[in-house]
């Protein structure tokens, strides 16, 4: 087939029921419609339409060309849309707000790939736990550890974060024995502060069929901070027991600067009702610059 355009003119003619109606819809001359249909019949070497005085009808071949032509044109339209999106220039400034520890260890490593794909895209990553304002323009995307029921937001859950309980070998050498979570009451604790999250650690034993959650209060923690990096440094300097994402402590454990404790328990600084979420307002993904960032982060970090 020399031109898909003739096929489109033929389909329009069949749908509209006449050459004149098709010409009106496509805003072309009736002679142009007739010429394209004749060109198509010439290519197939058979008539496609039976021309009556008041109406048109399809030949058997014409019916086949009509139905297959609709599918072919739809596929071509989809291909054109996909190529247009691929070639579309993504540019602009996207602002992301995330907790320091999550932004540092989970989001920042993913951003260079975005820049390589979209060189005209710039990103500002702010480490903050500020209140979300759905009507403000401060940030395009938030990462938060909260349960959102506000219909102003879309909240996409992110992958579960594995936490490890750790301390330095020097600290453990002189501290009280540590076999159960309850033993933490006899230890120096380093507590991370989360906004709207109670100051507790939650433990579950991994080897038993019956899961019993143990809750450790952190009111007696000698050091608390909203900076996980500050708590990590305190633990490295023999400051006590810390509970941090394993991404943050794995290097120190491998280098024997920290020791993982209570290995037979899963641990978390917040209850299962709270999880990491990528949060944004509904209108934000209508902007292509924000949509490509959201899609990229969810592809790597989403559940």
């Amino acid at each position: 087939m020399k031109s898909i355009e003739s096929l489109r003119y033929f389909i329009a003619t069949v749908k509209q029921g006449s050459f004149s109606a098709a010409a009106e819809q496509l805003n072309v001359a009736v002679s142009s419609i007739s010429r394209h249909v004749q060109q198509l019949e010439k290519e197939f070497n058979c008539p496609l339409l039976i021309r009556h005085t008041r109406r048109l009808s399809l030949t058997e071949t014409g019916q086949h060309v009509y139905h297959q032509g609709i599918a072919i044109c739809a596929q071509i339209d989809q291909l054109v849309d996909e190529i247009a999106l691929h070639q579309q220039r993504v540019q602009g400034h996207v602002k992301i707000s995330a907790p320091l520890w999550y932004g540092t260890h989970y989001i920042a490593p993913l951003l260079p790939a975005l820049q390589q794909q979209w060189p005209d895209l710039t990103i500002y990553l702010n480490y903050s736990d500020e209140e979300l304002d759905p009507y403000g323009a401060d940030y395009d995307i938030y990462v938060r550890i909260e349960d959102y029921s506000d219909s102003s937001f879309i909240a996409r859950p992110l992958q579960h974060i594995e936490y490890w309980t750790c301390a330095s070998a020097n600290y453990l050498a002189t501290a009280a024995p540590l076999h159960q979570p309850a033993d933490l009451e006899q230890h120096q604790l380093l507590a991370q502060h989360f906004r709207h999250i109670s100051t507790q650690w939650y433990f579950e034993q991994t080897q038993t069929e019956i899961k019993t959650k143990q809750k450790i209060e952190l009111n007696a923690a000698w050091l608390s901070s909203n900076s996980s990096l500050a708590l990590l440094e305190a633990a490295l300097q023999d400051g006590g027991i810390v509970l941090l994402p394993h991404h943050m402590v794995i290097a120190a454990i491998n280098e024997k600067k920290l020791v993982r404790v209570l290995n037979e328990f899963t641990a978390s600084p917040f209850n299962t009702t709270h999880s990491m979420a990528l949060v944004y307002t509904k209108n934000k993904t209508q902007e292509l610059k924000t949509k490509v960032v959201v899609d990229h982060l969810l592809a790597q970090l989403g559940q």
Side-chain angles (χ1 to χ4, degrees), residues 75-130:
Q75 290 177 343
I76 292 175
D77 290 341
Q78 181 179 356
L79 177 61
V80 170
D81 289 342
E82 291 173 356
I83 295 299
L85 178 61
H86 181 73
Q87 293 180 336
Q88 192 167 359
R89 187 179 181 187
V90 178
Q91 60 182 342
H93 193 58
V94 176
K95 300 176 70 174
I96 305 173
S97 173
L100 173 62
W101 64 273
Y102 194 88
T104 300
H105 293 277
Y106 292 88
I107 293 199
L110 301 179
L111 299 182
L114 267 174
Q115 197 279 329
Q116 293 168 13
Q117 185 175 7
W118 311 110
D120 295 321
L121 182 69
T122 59
I123 296 175
Y124 172 59
L125 177 58
N126 179 66
Y127 295 139
S128 170
D129 282 319
E130 300 171 11

Side-chain angles (χ1 to χ4, degrees), residues 163-168 171-172 178 184 187-193 201 203 218 221-225 227-246 248-249 252-253 257-262 267-269:
Y163 281 82
W164 286 359
T165 317
C166 307
S168 68
Y171 169 80
L172 293 172
L178 182 57
L184 289 170
H187 284 262
Q188 296 177 189
L189 302 182
L190 309 172
Q192 187 172 359
H193 173 73
W201 289 348
F203 292 86
L218 300 178
W222 79 269
L223 175 62
S224 61
S225 174
S227 169
S228 56
L229 294 177
L231 298 176
L232 175 60
E233 287 300 318
L236 289 169
Q237 299 303 318
D238 311 326
I241 308 291
V242 70
L243 179 64
L244 291 173
H246 79 285
M248 291 191 63
V249 298
I253 290 174
K257 295 179 181 179
L258 290 178
V259 178
R260 185 182 178 190
V261 297
L262 300 176
S268 176

Side-chain angles (χ1 to χ4, degrees), residues 180-185 189 197-205 212-219 243 262 265-272:
Q180 298 289 330
D183 297 334
L184 289 170
E185 296 178 1
L189 302 182
I197 306 295
S198 59
T199 54
Q200 298 162 335
W201 289 348
Y202 300 88
F203 292 86
E204 282 187 351
Q205 195 159 10
T212 303
K213 182 171 291 188
Q214 301 181 52
K215 183 170 62 176
I216 304 300
E217 298 290 344
L218 300 178
N219 297 329
L243 179 64
L262 300 176
F265 295 87
T266 60
S268 176
F270 44 84
N271 225 337
T272 54

Side-chain angles (χ1 to χ4, degrees), residues 10-203:
F10 169 71
I11 291 172
T13 301
V14 175
K15 286 184 175 180
Q16 298 302 316
S18 70
F19 289 110
S20 58
E24 183 178 353
Q25 184 206 25
L26 299 174
N27 195 27
V28 297
V30 174
S31 59
S32 179
I33 298 288
S34 178
R35 185 173 63 252
H36 277 288
V37 172
Q38 289 174 9
Q39 175 64 37
L40 202 59
E41 290 178 323
K42 183 178 179 181
E43 291 187 21
F44 287 118
N45 196 28
C46 65
L48 303 178
L49 292 172
I50 301 173
R51 295 157 175 84
H52 301 287
T53 304
R54 295 186 178 179
R55 63 183 179 86
L56 297 175
S57 60
L58 290 168
T59 64
E60 184 176 350
T61 302
Q63 290 179 353
H64 184 69
V65 171
Y66 173 70
H67 292 295
Q68 291 297 317
I70 291 176
I72 290 170
C73 289
Q75 290 177 343
I76 292 175
D77 290 341
Q78 181 179 356
L79 177 61
V80 170
D81 289 342
E82 291 173 356
I83 295 299
L85 178 61
H86 181 73
Q87 293 180 336
Q88 192 167 359
R89 187 179 181 187
V90 178
Q91 60 182 342
H93 193 58
V94 176
K95 300 176 70 174
I96 305 173
S97 173
L100 173 62
W101 64 273
Y102 194 88
T104 300
H105 293 277
Y106 292 88
I107 293 199
L110 301 179
L111 299 182
L114 267 174
Q115 197 279 329
Q116 293 168 13
Q117 185 175 7
W118 311 110
D120 295 321
L121 182 69
T122 59
I123 296 175
Y124 172 59
L125 177 58
N126 179 66
Y127 295 139
S128 170
D129 282 319
E130 300 171 11
E131 287 280 357
L132 278 72
D133 179 5
Y135 307 106
D138 290 341
Y139 298 99
D140 301 293
I141 304 168
Y142 298 84
V143 177
R144 290 293 182 264
I145 315 173
E146 296 179 21
D147 184 16
Y148 287 99
S149 56
D150 189 335
S151 60
S152 302
F153 294 107
I154 295 175
R156 301 291 298 276
L158 301 175
Q159 294 171 4
H160 170 72
I161 303 297
E162 183 178 359
Y163 281 82
W164 286 359
T165 317
C166 307
S168 68
N170 287 340
Y171 169 80
L172 293 172
T174 59
L178 182 57
H179 304 293
Q180 298 289 330
D183 297 334
L184 289 170
E185 296 178 1
Q186 308 301 318
H187 284 262
Q188 296 177 189
L189 302 182
L190 309 172
Q192 187 172 359
H193 173 73
F194 298 97
R195 186 173 58 86
H196 298 328
I197 306 295
S198 59
T199 54
Q200 298 162 335
W201 289 348
Y202 300 88
F203 292 86

